[in-house]
């Protein structure tokens, strides 16, 4: 309105000097310019939460990626151990074999904890429930698919188990002065597992 009135009175558009010469309109103009300059900071303020949200998402994604890498590393260790075990023993590892190796039993426990969705160190003060023989045997190699062994493989496994059991029996006899009974075998968890495995191998050979 002031600008229109000025043009009517003076026959031209007002200049900066004309605005400054009018105390009332110069105050209005100053307020207008202050508000105009204030738009940019407000816009930035509105953008800040969005930026913070992106940073939050990145921070939340980091633990998930770290857990995935840790699980991948544990899987590799288990598979490497399994491959070395098969090379050394000529057969696949069983639950008793995992328990007999302190290092790999710890790796296995961590892997199972992560598979269940728990962090390996989340419950350090709690004693984890020991997995069953059946569970351990089924998951000894989590990333590898078991194939049905051939008759030759079964015979080689039978031979290896027989040697191990006979060595144990010989050692038992030298210590105790008598031959071991079935109850003695059952009392030794490792030998009991080998004995049961040998019986299973014999049945598999018969049914092959």
């Amino acid at each position: 309105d002031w600008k229109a009135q000025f043009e009517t009175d003076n026959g031209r558009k007002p200049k900066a000097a004309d605005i400054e010469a009018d105390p009332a309109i110069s105050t209005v103009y100053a307020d207008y310019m202050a508000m105009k300059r204030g738009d940019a900071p407000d816009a930035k303020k509105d953008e800040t939460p969005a930026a913070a949200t992106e940073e939050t998402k990145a921070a939340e994604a980091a633990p998930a990626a770290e857990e995935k890498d840790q699980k991948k590393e544990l899987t590799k260790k288990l598979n490497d151990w399994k491959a070395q075990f098969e090379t050394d023993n000529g057969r696949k590892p069983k639950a008793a074999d995992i328990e007999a190796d302190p290092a790999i039993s710890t790796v296995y426990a961590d892997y199972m904890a992560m598979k269940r969705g728990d962090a390996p160190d989340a419950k350090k003060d709690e004693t984890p429930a020991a997995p069953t023989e059946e569970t351990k045997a089924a998951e000894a190699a989590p990333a590898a698919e078991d194939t049905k062994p051939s008759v030759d493989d079964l015979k080689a496994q039978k031979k290896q188990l027989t040697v191990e059991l006979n060595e144990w029996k010989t050692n038992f006899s030298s210590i105790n002065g008598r031959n071991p009974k079935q109850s003695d075998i059952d009392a030794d968890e490792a030998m009991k597992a080998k004995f049961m495995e040998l019986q299973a191998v014999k049945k598999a050979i018969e049914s092959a």
Side-chain angles (χ1 to χ4, degrees):
D1 292 343
W2 178 85
K3 184 178 178 183
Q5 186 61 46
F6 183 93
E7 290 185 15
T8 301
D9 295 341
N10 298 276
R12 64 180 176 83
K13 293 182 179 181
K15 298 180 180 179
D18 301 315
I19 294 173
E20 291 175 358
D22 188 327
I25 202 63
S26 64
T27 301
V28 174
Y29 181 79
D31 291 342
Y32 168 76
M33 292 304 295
M35 290 183 68
K36 188 175 182 180
R37 288 194 299 271
D39 291 342
D42 289 342
K44 289 182 180 178
K45 288 179 182 177
D46 292 338
E47 293 174 3
T48 301
T53 301
E54 290 299 322
E55 292 176 3
T56 302
K57 287 182 179 180
E60 291 174 350
E66 183 178 349
E67 182 177 340
K68 185 177 180 181
D69 291 341
Q70 189 174 359
K71 186 175 181 180
K72 184 177 180 181
E73 181 180 352
L74 291 173
T75 300
K76 183 179 185 301
K77 287 182 179 180
L78 284 169
N79 286 333
D80 289 346
W81 179 85
K82 182 202 172 192
Q84 186 60 48
F85 184 95
E86 289 186 21
T87 299
D88 296 340
N89 299 278
R91 62 179 178 82
K92 296 181 183 295
K94 300 295 180 180
D97 302 314
I98 295 175
E99 289 180 345
D101 189 321
I104 203 63
S105 63
T106 299
V107 173
Y108 178 83
D110 288 347
Y111 171 83
M112 290 304 298
M114 294 196 71
K115 189 174 182 180
R116 290 191 300 267
D118 303 328
D121 297 329
K123 300 180 180 178
K124 285 184 178 179
D125 297 333
E126 296 182 11
T127 303
T132 63
E133 293 288 320
E134 187 176 318
T135 301
K136 283 188 175 182
E139 297 178 349
E145 294 183 1
D146 290 335
T147 57
K148 187 176 181 180
S150 65
V151 175
D152 290 338
D153 290 338
L154 290 171
K155 289 181 178 179
Q157 188 175 352
K158 176 185 175 183
K159 182 179 179 181
Q160 178 66 29
L161 288 169
T162 301
V163 169
E164 292 178 10
L165 282 167
N166 287 338
E167 288 178 353
W168 179 84
K169 288 178 181 179
T170 300
N171 187 53
F172 182 95
S173 298
S174 63
I175 294 175
N176 298 279
R178 63 178 178 82
N179 293 329
K181 300 178 180 179
Q182 184 61 47
S183 58
D184 298 315
I185 296 175
D186 292 340
D188 188 313
E189 290 297 329
M191 284 303 107
K192 180 181 178 182
K194 289 182 183 296
F195 178 81
M196 292 176 65
E197 184 180 354
L198 177 59
Q199 300 307 308
V201 170
K202 286 180 178 179
K203 289 182 180 180
I205 293 174
E206 291 175 359
S207 61

